[in-house]
Amino acid sequence: MRLWHKVAIGSAAGILLAGAAIFALDAADKAFPPPLEKADVVSAEVLDADGQLLRAFATSEGRWRLKTTVADVDPQFLRMLIAYEDQRFYDHDGVDAWALGRAATQFIRNGRIVSGASTLSMQVARLIEPRAGRSLSAKLLQLVRAVQIERRLSKEQILDLYLTHAPYGGNLEGVRAASLAYFGKEPRRLTVAEAALLVALPQLPERRRPDRNLKAAQEARKRVLERVAVAEAVGDGEAERAEAVAIPPRRLQLPALAAHVAEAALRKEPDVLKHQTTLKKQVQQGLESVARAAAMKLGPKLSLAMVMADAQTGAIVGEVGSADYFDASRSGWIDMTRVNRSPGSTLKPFIYGLAFEQGLVSQETIIEDRPADFFGYRPRNFDMSYQGDVTVREALQLSLNVPAVKLLDAVGPSRLLVRFRRAEVRPVLPPNETPGLAIGLGGIGITLKDLVQLYTALANRGQPARLGDGITGQPAELDGEALLEPVAVWNVADILSGVIPPAGAPQRGIAYKTGTSYGYRDAWSVGYDGRYVLGVWVGRPDNSAVPGLTGYGTAAPILFEAFAKSGISTTPLPRPPAGAVRIAQSELPISQRRFALNASGLLVASGREPAPQIVYPPEGAHIDLGAGAGDLSPLMLKLQGGRAPFRWLANGKPLPDLSRRRTQQWLPDGGGYSKLTVIDSAGRAASVGVFID
């Protein structure tokens, strides 16, 4: 047989054998694929609005394994890792034949292992499919798995798996978990010394743990820095300088912020691994540090809660549900931002706002602070004393109870609750009770979150914002009209911004109000600037009395400290709107110089006629005038009090004629919300809002 023929036959046989081998390998590869699905088991993470880690949860096996990608780590660390562990990582297909040969030769010459030959791909294979022993069969399986992994994943994806699963001692896995535990930071920016330690630890993670064996960790880092390839990767002289840097001797706790929000996020979407929130990490850290310090001073069994929200968007940027989530003595697991409690005097600004809006008073109007009887209800001031004649401004700043109840009696408790519904806030009344005057002093239940939602209207020119849950994105806007008119809101803010800060607190340019519930059970303080609202509650979760607990003495100092520690710069309060001005008492119209009620409950100004009051239609009424059929009927308007003649306005537009009668007819232009106002000859006004159906 000719030579060329033998060569042809041999070549054909070789090709057939190679093809058969490849076919066999492909069949085996498909039949026994690498268990890459195990690599997907990582810790759930809760992130702030900017993607920063707030809290991580251990895996079901108790491992801190944070998903990490190449983009998450310092590029210099990657260069050092490849230079030390696998210099030909980008050139081989899972197995480095040159390194295998070198390792085998060294073993034969020295009778022991001098250097390893594991590639990063082989290490990934071992990490996702660990073996108890270090037998030859286990090593061969690693080789095969490394080739299989290389056939399925890109080099960057293989690095991602290593960065996520590399062991760092104890229950730490992955570069992010190790960097957070040993350096207290994400691995995006690492020093040479930090990167070298993170390269060194995975080879013998338990023996080299800095918190258990600092000397072994130092020696391991030194070996990394002395490797020629590593020294070349970090630059001239950097390795020598890094050797002199101290290694952290302690393991830090991984971020554990926003416990209640994080738990709620996991309950809401248990299968999601990354939960984005609206919180800001800097704000959350500041609020929680203040809460921890305050809890130490408050004493046992007391808890506190805080909510900080953007008044324009409604996004919650910081939330503390309790003084300490893990403190059973304080019932720390209860999220006190969502529990209905008595708000004390914190609703008074809205009573005054309604009074300003209806023209009943101005800031310098004189109002009496003396014992009063409202059909059997006898409110008393917190200190059991009375101030006599005071201005409305002083009455709100001093949080006097009798003037607030007098104004609430004039504007009507039901009207106040109707305004709250515009902000989608529905306080809880005592069982089987209708709205009464006691709601002005805390005789109602409301959550801290809802109270902050109400105050967003005061920080946002009267327009409330719907607060989110802290988990989902920006909440939808409220569809209703403003809670209060801008001029009334400005008057309230002008007064509250003049309240003296608690002792030792700096003047931050915020408006704030405090409140203490009956029996010293709840202490409140709510403050706002031109952008953010912060609410603070202090008390016992079991609703027990706490002697000496007050809004001004207990909650207000926490409010000011939390504003300072939040890291948010103060935004100036809104500028006065058109028509907003503080008028001296001597320049007020006669009708606003003194506020008083006669025996019939009607407003009397300076001993003259009662102020006008619209008795029909009532505030918030839905009236069927046939708007749906397109044939509207006129609406009868009725009032009492006031001095004729009267001018009626519908949605700001005056009706054609002045009237001396206390009844009037009005024909609406169409259906929907309308505001009706009547002004008497003394310039006193009353308004109601109705819905035409």
Side-chain angles (χ1 to χ4, degrees), residues 478-657:
L478 293 170
D479 296 327
E481 68 172 322
L483 193 152
L484 291 169
E485 292 178 351
V487 172
V489 169
W490 177 84
N491 275 292
V492 170
D494 188 52
I495 294 173
L496 295 182
S497 61
V499 177
I500 299 173
Q507 177 60 260
R508 292 188 55 84
I510 64 173
Y512 81 105
K513 182 72 184 76
T514 62
T516 307
S517 69
Y518 177 78
Y520 301 97
R521 289 175 169 83
D522 308 273
W524 304 81
S525 187
V526 189
Y528 61 95
D529 61 11
R531 182 66 185 268
Y532 293 96
V533 178
L534 174 61
V536 176
W537 169 88
V538 180
R540 285 185 55 165
D542 62 4
N543 205 30
S544 298
V546 184
L549 185 75
T550 66
Y552 188 79
T554 308
I558 297 174
L559 175 83
F560 276 78
E561 182 75 6
F563 252 117
K565 294 287 181 63
S566 70
I568 292 179
S569 300
T570 302
T571 302
L573 290 163
R575 296 174 61 84
V581 61
R582 193 194 305 174
I583 303 174
Q585 206 236 348
S586 60
E587 298 177 0
L588 287 173
I590 294 176
S591 61
Q592 285 194 338
R593 291 183 182 177
R594 175 176 286 274
F595 177 89
L597 295 172
N598 65 12
S600 301
L602 296 177
L603 183 63
V604 178
S606 300
R608 297 173 180 267
E609 301 87 346
Q613 290 187 339
I614 299 173
V615 296
Y616 189 83
E619 173 70 23
H622 284 261
I623 304 171
D624 187 1
L625 297 180
D631 186 16
L632 285 166
S633 302
L635 173 65
M636 182 63 70
L637 311 176
K638 299 179 182 180
L639 67 89
Q640 67 178 17
R643 184 197 307 171
F646 305 105
R647 167 68 72 185
W648 285 89
L649 295 89
N651 298 318
K653 297 180 180 179
L655 300 191
D657 300 312

Side-chain angles (χ1 to χ4, degrees), residues 247-276:
I247 291 177
R250 291 183 300 274
R251 172 175 161 173
L252 307 174
Q253 182 184 13
L254 265 64
L257 299 169
H260 292 92
V261 172
E263 292 283 356
L266 257 65
R267 288 195 301 269
K268 186 173 183 179
E269 296 181 291
D271 298 326
V272 174
L273 291 175
K274 288 198 175 185
H275 303 265
Q276 190 98 21

